[in-house]
Amino acid sequence: MQKFIHRIEDFISRNHLLEKDGKYLVALSGGADSVTLLWVLHELGYQIEACHCNFQLRGAESDRDEQFCVQLCEQLGIPLHRIHFDTRLYAEVHKESIELAARNLRYRYFAQLKEDVEADGICVAHHQDDTVETVLINLIRGAGIQGLTGISAKNGDILRPLLCVDRKEILAYRKEKGQEYVTDSTNLVDDVVRNKIRLNIIPMLKEINPAASKNIAQAAHHLEEANKMLSSIAICGEKSEDGTIRVAVQEIESAASAEYALYSSLSPYGFRGKAITEILASLHSTGKTWTSETHQLVTDRDCILIREKQTEVFQGMKIPETGCYVLPRGEKIKLSIREREIDFSPSKEKFLITLDADAVTFPLHLRLAQNGDTFHPFGMKGKKLVSDYLTDRKKNLFEKQSQRIMEDAKGQIIWVVGERTSELCKIKEDTKKILYIQVSQVREVKDLKGDSEITSR
């Protein structure tokens, strides 16, 4: 069994998983895999603490597992952290499967505990057979290369020292050590996909070739190495001040594999599978959109634009009179009316405008631009659709969706904010009073003499 331990020790070293002077948590369920992980790391002299989750899903069996972990850790002199979850209630409230709920609860607890005890990582007992099961599951789902690389030895704070050994070797080690473990009865029922593969498909594959599991694991390793090389063609894109990421279509198409370059570039934002195929076919379209769990994507002329999902949409704000108003995003709008001075000259700043006060009727309304909005652009004759104006300005869909306008009580748009004021409100020779409107971040606001401050609610 020393050979078994040395293989794990060598695997830890080659993959830089643990340091001798570090401190690590070990996820301990009481099953053969986690018990073996605890014993091996203990024998190798690592500073470890165990953590056990009781999901309260199997009645007395769950309590039996917890008590076994308590006794084992007492025997080895290893600190044990325990937590109980009402997993069924959590799954019901969050509308998740029991399996997903248990996973989310477990890893959230591990992450918090790691911070609390100042550990350097969390060791879990996934082994070679788990990699094979994962590869087969992802293959059935039609995953790309990344999905066929199996389980990583290190994923952030999660460390997997047993990936170099299989279940058979683990059981042989436990038998020689004479160490008991507990069995989760739900693992013996082929009611979920992973159990069906473990209990039915893998045994059939081993009938065809006894080395099937090892060969699949080796193929996954080869794919992982190939994926490292292929990942180098990922195109990061440029990030603008508002957080929008721009990926040039030309860069995608000039890659050896446009499809893989697209996948590598977009998968970090949640775009995979069918979405990649659709986006690839629409690279030269404008205005087509896709949404992942976390991001929005739009094709725009010669590029792809990506931004985080907008959780809050600006609902608009009424401005009853001059003063200072605070917007939800921390911006301020300051409005004041002053008598025209002899040396007055109209503002040329992007976010400070000057209008003929007598041509504007309060209250004002600040809102998002809508389809059908029209205004009289300063310096132009006649009306123009705001959307057409923004198109002429080469604004992309995201910019159009977030474009704000200000209209007065008569419904006339006096300002496409940050872009153009209305010709109907321009300063004329006989203008006597000037309306100043300034939009800026709180830290950038300059006092306008005579203003009172009003905070919007």
Side-chain angles (χ1 to χ4, degrees), residues 5-17:
I5 293 178
H6 286 326
R7 280 177 57 197
I8 296 171
E9 184 176 29
D10 180 61
F11 183 78
I12 291 171
S13 176
R14 281 188 291 108
N15 290 276
H16 310 288
L17 296 185

Side-chain angles (χ1 to χ4, degrees), residues 359-365 406-414 425:
V360 178
T361 306
F362 280 85
L364 306 183
H365 185 198
M406 187 176 287
E407 63 183 1
D408 71 358
K410 295 179 180 178
Q412 68 171 343
I413 294 175
I414 63 174
C425 308

Side-chain angles (χ1 to χ4, degrees), residues 208-446:
I208 298 171
N209 183 348
S213 288
K214 287 189 179 296
N215 291 343
I216 293 172
Q218 187 63 34
H221 173 71
H222 293 325
L223 286 171
E224 183 178 14
E225 293 304 306
N227 189 54
K228 289 176 184 177
M229 245 175 47
L230 289 168
S231 295
S232 64
I233 70 173
I235 299 161
C236 297
E238 300 175 358
K239 194 169 187 177
S240 61
E241 290 183 4
D242 66 356
T244 299
I245 297 157
R246 180 183 182 278
V247 179
V249 168
Q250 184 178 2
E251 290 189 59
I252 294 290
E253 292 184 324
S254 63
S257 169
E259 182 175 357
Y260 196 81
L262 193 65
Y263 172 81
S264 299
S265 303
L266 302 185
S267 59
Y269 309 109
F271 298 100
R272 303 181 181 89
K274 183 182 178 183
I276 297 295
T277 303
E278 293 175 348
I279 295 167
L280 185 62
S282 305
L283 287 180
H284 294 284
S285 301
T286 297
K288 288 200 172 184
T289 61
W290 288 263
T291 303
S292 72
E293 290 185 3
T294 57
H295 286 75
Q296 295 173 298
L297 179 150
V298 61
T299 53
D300 184 72
R301 302 179 188 88
D302 58 351
C303 66
I304 293 168
L305 302 173
I306 310 150
R307 72 173 181 183
E308 289 186 14
K309 270 187 179 178
Q310 304 299 294
T311 54
E312 295 183 8
V313 178
F314 181 59
Q315 298 299 320
M317 185 175 73
K318 291 287 186 181
I319 301 174
E321 58 187 8
T322 57
C324 182
Y325 300 80
V326 180
L327 298 179
R329 295 193 306 182
E331 296 167 299
K332 280 189 177 181
I333 297 184
K334 303 189 82 170
L335 305 94
S336 65
I337 296 177
R338 305 176 194 171
E339 294 292 333
R340 181 173 183 171
E341 298 177 354
I342 296 175
D343 60 348
F344 167 79
S345 60
S347 171
K348 295 181 180 179
E349 294 183 27
K350 189 174 183 180
F351 290 103
L352 172 61
I353 62 170
T354 47
L355 305 175
D356 184 338
D358 291 331
V360 178
T361 306
F362 280 85
L364 306 183
H365 185 198
L366 181 69
R367 61 173 174 81
L368 292 177
Q370 300 171 356
N371 288 333
D373 280 339
T374 61
F375 80 122
H376 293 78
F378 177 77
M380 295 176 60
K381 293 182 179 180
K383 287 185 178 182
K384 193 175 185 71
L385 284 167
V386 172
S387 59
D388 288 347
Y389 172 81
L390 295 175
T391 298
D392 292 343
R393 296 277 292 149
K394 299 190 184 303
K395 298 294 181 179
N396 62 57
L397 182 61
F398 292 155
E399 291 170 325
K400 290 179 179 179
Q401 289 174 345
S402 59
Q403 178 63 55
R404 294 172 297 182
I405 59 124
M406 187 176 287
E407 63 183 1
D408 71 358
K410 295 179 180 178
Q412 68 171 343
I413 294 175
I414 63 174
W415 187 20
V416 177
V417 179
E419 290 295 323
R420 188 74 69 93
T421 56
S422 171
E423 173 73 12
L424 303 180
C425 308
K426 71 179 181 181
I427 309 294
K428 301 183 289 291
E429 288 184 6
D430 61 347
T431 296
K432 294 181 174 59
K433 293 182 180 180
I434 310 297
L435 171 62
Y436 291 81
I437 305 178
Q438 181 186 29
V439 177
S440 70
Q441 295 294 328
V442 174
R443 62 179 181 276
E444 297 172 351
V445 171
K446 300 174 183 176

